[in-house]
Amino acid sequence: MRILVALDQDMRSAHTLSQVTQLLVNTWANVTLLGIVPRKSDDGGVPMDFVDTMNQYHKAVLQGFAAEDLPYAPADDDYEIAEIRPGIYEKIGNTHGGIKELTVRIRVGNPTQTILEEAQDCGSDLIVLHGDMDSQQKIATKADCSVLIVKKERDTGRILCFLDDDLLSQRSLEMITQMAVLFNAEIEIAGLTDKQSVEEKIEKKLDWLIHYFNGKGIQPWIQLVALSYLEPFILEQDHWSLVTMWMGETSIFKRLFSVNKVAKLLESRKSSVLLLR
Amino acid sequence: MLKTAIAVDADLASRIAIRCACQLGRSIDMSVGTIHALEPGEEGHAIATGWVRQTWEDAVVRESMDQVTRLVKSEQAGCRMLEPPLFLPPENDRGDRIARHLRSNHCNLFVEGFLHRYKPDLFMEKIGSRFYRTLPCPTLMAQNVPPMSKGVLWLSQGKVTEKMMETYLGIFPNQAIELELLICRFGKNPSAAAKDSSSASGVEPAVSFFESAGGTIKNISTVEGSPSSMAALVRDHFLIVSSVPPQNSLMAQLLSKSPCSLLFLP
């Protein structure tokens, strides 16, 4: 798995990174820390304070691991930032000793465009960004891979997974399991229904999912939500750490997202959001 | 020994009911029987007359019985105490048929599955049915199977009778599960949090009775507000205990918001 973490100098980035670090400790995923600056500094390069921030982020990730478990190359104080392609900078330093890749990059430009380009370039399976980034809605809608929008920490550890009659991928289920560990949370599955035939399909899927999560030592909560009640359901309840939605080609959310209905609903929510593809 | 009967159909709700009952059975001395009340509808629409119709109807009923038997067998792997299904003949009111079975077999606990729904219509319909209005025995509406360590929350609007406590102790005699009591005062102005009410007058006799039987109530508190404002308090327990509230009442609205299994006491 490759994770792309989009970072800026907002305090939220540090919180997002601490969440991602726990995910990395569990998964040993390849990771790109992507810093985004809107424009170059007056000398035509990247602002030095931003380079320092990215270096701090890099160190923070490494410090999340026990020394003997570190899958990435250790941090090197002797590094340089090189422009590897126009507008794309990379931290060049010690790359030896890691069995997994940790890349630190800075891109100059529009956040939506740079994040989506970088996700394609590095073949990322998951984009992580914080919930105050202006571009979150566009990235969530346009990305080809899964997207995790991290909002502020919640007290209650419960993850809500919306389930419709779209196909579920093994990778997305594993990601939810990882999130349950990451947020130290219980899983609540809301099966979306609108007619009897769909309800029967959803019941079978719920049965399978209960079996799947039981196998992982997780006992999920389940409930059914009529599609026509989705909006009040989301608006009324705000107690989840994370809301996840499958965004397959035929999924309900894929259709709803095209009109930004659910995106707007979730924008105002305090829960983090994981869109699975 | 607690004599339990689970209503089983070939669906997910029934699996949840079985798992919930079996989870209880691991800490309580109980027998776990299964029943399936054949519905008149299972005989289907007539496709012909005479022996053709009879043969077709028999096949539909047999298929239904086979499905239920298979479901129970598949659950027996994780629950050895589960007994094979007993099929009750069709009757217009399924609830009446089950109630008669529970009474004649002196069952102490009835369990049926119900998938929790955000829209409360089906829940209201169920608790408004004749079966729930005249409960033949304590009835567990199994909606989810969280761990028993999440404890039991007893919901009341101010009065808990000794009879109810006695019935509860008949099910949980060994204090296997932690018990909390929440007194709900429904009104427009929600309080910030549940307040300690260990000396509330309406519950004192029942609490004394409970304690004299060797039980302890971990916490007694009161909360004021609307069902929506209280919803968070009924979300994370192994069981919620209550009497059957009137259909569409404020207590019914609160219970409809809980994804926990609900134990209704007569």
Side-chain angles (χ1 to χ4, degrees):
Chain A
M1 183 160 79
R2 180 172 281 279
I3 299 175
L4 171 64
V5 193
L7 301 160
D8 54 21
Q9 284 182 299
D10 189 290
M11 282 296 289
R12 292 248 173 257
S13 280
H15 167 63
T16 300
L17 198 63
S18 70
Q19 302 267 296
V20 173
T21 303
Q22 290 176 56
L23 186 61
L24 295 174
V25 169
N26 290 330
T27 58
W28 284 25
N30 294 314
V31 60
T32 300
L33 305 182
L34 177 67
I36 303 138
V37 280
R39 63 192 71 82
K40 291 185 178 181
S41 58
D42 294 341
D43 62 1
V46 181
M48 274 319 290
D49 63 330
F50 193 69
V51 172
D52 288 343
T53 303
M54 289 304 293
N55 197 37
Q56 292 304 316
Y57 290 153
H58 183 186
K59 285 182 177 172
V61 170
L62 300 179
Q63 283 164 4
F65 288 80
E68 62 275 19
D69 292 336
L70 186 63
Y72 310 112
D76 192 346
D77 284 333
D78 187 20
Y79 69 90
E80 60 173 306
I81 293 286
E83 187 166 18
I84 54 170
R85 294 207 299 272
I88 304 174
Y89 297 82
E90 190 165 311
K91 183 179 173 185
I92 310 290
N94 177 24
T95 55
H96 302 292
I99 56 171
K100 293 286 177 178
E101 290 174 31
L102 193 167
T103 309
V104 180
R105 272 194 188 166
I106 298 171
R107 279 186 179 241
V108 180
N110 168 282
T112 306
Q113 197 182 336
T114 52
I115 292 169
L116 291 174
E117 276 178 11
E118 183 64 33
Q120 279 215 320
D121 281 3
C122 69
S124 99
D125 301 295
L126 174 68
I127 300 172
V128 185
L129 63 160
H130 68 74
D132 283 352
M133 279 195 174
D134 299 335
S135 46
Q136 53 160 317
Q137 253 194 57
K138 283 182 186 165
I139 292 165
T141 315
K142 292 181 179 174
D144 292 328
C145 61
S146 299
V147 178
L148 171 63
I149 300 166
V150 179
K151 297 199 178 174
K152 70 177 182 181
E153 278 181 275
R154 309 303 318 280
D155 297 334
T156 44
R158 206 175 271 198
I159 294 175
L160 174 72
C161 309
F162 283 110
L163 175 71
D164 60 15
D165 60 347
D166 192 26
L167 291 172
L168 304 179
S169 69
Q170 179 72 21
R171 180 176 286 182
S172 65
L173 289 174
E174 283 169 9
M175 210 173 276
I176 289 174
T177 309
Q178 287 296 343
M179 295 297 163
V181 176
L182 174 65
F183 285 85
N184 190 23
E186 294 184 25
I187 292 176
E188 184 173 325
I189 305 170
L192 297 175
T193 64
D194 53 0
K195 46 186 186 253
Q196 188 62 33
S197 59
V198 174
E199 189 161 320
E200 283 168 14
K201 273 191 199 172
I202 292 290
E203 270 197 35
K204 282 185 182 162
K205 254 185 180 176
L206 283 171
D207 195 10
W208 187 87
L209 279 174
I210 291 170
H211 184 73
Y212 174 86
F213 285 120
N214 283 347
K216 305 276 180 191
I218 296 167
Q219 180 65 55
W221 296 80
I222 59 166
Q223 65 174 317
L224 297 178
V225 179
L227 197 52
S228 49
Y229 281 75
L230 181 59
E231 196 167 328
F233 175 74
I234 293 175
L235 284 173
E236 192 179 296
Q237 303 180 52
D238 200 12
H239 57 281
W240 303 294
S241 312
L242 174 71
V243 176
T244 74
M245 300 171 200
W246 277 276
M247 296 284 288
E249 281 309 310
T250 59
S251 79
I252 287 165
F253 287 107
K254 180 88 174 174
R255 298 201 297 270
L256 292 179
F257 253 85
S258 62
V259 290
N260 277 341
K261 190 176 177 186
V262 175
K264 278 179 186 164
L265 276 174
L266 291 171
E267 194 182 35
S268 60
R269 301 290 86 197
K270 292 172 187 166
S271 315
S272 297
V273 181
L274 173 63
L275 304 174
L276 295 162
R277 293 188 173 91
Chain B
M1 179 191 273
L2 193 72
K3 192 168 182 183
T4 304
I6 311 172
V8 179
D9 295 316
D11 58 18
L12 176 59
S14 299
R15 287 190 186 278
I16 289 170
I18 289 173
R19 289 168 200 172
C20 201
C22 290
Q23 192 178 25
L24 275 176
R26 287 185 201 107
S27 58
I28 294 168
D29 184 23
M30 62 191 262
S31 66
V32 187
T34 54
I35 53 173
H36 172 73
L38 291 161
E39 301 265 2
E42 279 175 309
E43 291 167 6
H45 301 291
I47 56 164
T49 57
W51 68 269
V52 174
R53 175 177 174 173
Q54 186 61 48
T55 306
W56 178 73
E57 285 173 356
D58 286 351
V60 171
V61 170
R62 217 168 30 245
E63 170 64 15
S64 164
M65 291 165 76
D66 283 351
Q67 284 179 352
V68 169
T69 305
R70 277 200 299 273
L71 185 144
V72 171
K73 270 190 179 167
S74 69
E75 292 294 327
Q76 276 171 330
C79 182
R80 299 266 176 217
M81 68 184 82
L82 198 60
E83 294 164 13
L86 182 70
F87 294 96
L88 309 180
E91 202 167 291
N92 279 338
D93 191 316
R94 174 179 175 271
D96 285 352
R97 184 70 195 87
I98 291 175
R100 262 208 321 283
H101 171 85
L102 297 172
R103 286 194 186 99
S104 61
N105 286 274
H106 308 289
C107 291
N108 312 106
L109 179 64
F110 173 61
V111 184
E112 70 172 345
F114 181 77
L115 293 184
H116 178 63
R117 287 154 207 272
Y118 175 67
K119 194 179 165 190
D121 302 22
L122 278 179
F123 174 80
M124 294 301 177
E125 194 180 302
K126 197 166 247 312
I127 63 165
S129 68
R130 188 157 59 204
F131 179 88
Y132 275 84
R133 280 187 282 117
T134 56
L135 280 186
C137 66
T139 295
L140 177 60
M141 186 188 277
Q143 301 193 106
N144 275 291
V145 197
M148 287 174 71
S149 57
K150 286 184 178 286
V152 174
L153 179 69
W154 190 311
L155 292 185
S156 161
Q157 282 183 268
K159 197 175 176 196
V160 177
T161 64
E162 285 185 13
K163 184 175 175 289
M164 285 177 81
M165 279 286 179
E166 195 175 357
T167 308
Y168 178 82
L169 285 169
I171 301 169
F172 300 110
N174 57 358
Q175 307 298 309
I177 312 180
E178 209 162 62
L179 175 65
E180 288 178 68
L181 179 57
L182 182 67
I183 300 160
C184 305
R185 309 268 186 224
F186 293 106
K188 285 179 183 169
N189 302 317
S191 61
K195 292 178 201 159
D196 176 58
S197 303
S198 43
S199 58
S201 59
V203 297
E204 264 176 358
V207 171
S208 302
F209 173 82
F210 190 75
E211 285 173 350
S212 66
T216 50
I217 299 178
K218 185 188 159 199
N219 189 27
I220 302 173
S221 48
T222 302
V223 65
E224 293 178 22
S226 63
S228 295
S229 70
M230 294 180 195
L233 301 171
V234 296
R235 226 172 245 147
D236 200 24
H237 291 83
F238 172 64
L239 273 184
I240 304 285
V241 177
S242 168
S243 53
V244 180
Q247 199 178 18
N248 296 317
S249 63
L250 292 167
M251 182 57 94
Q253 287 174 38
L254 176 60
L255 287 169
S256 76
K257 292 177 187 298
S258 174
C260 310
S261 294
L262 307 172
L263 175 61
F264 292 108
L265 300 179

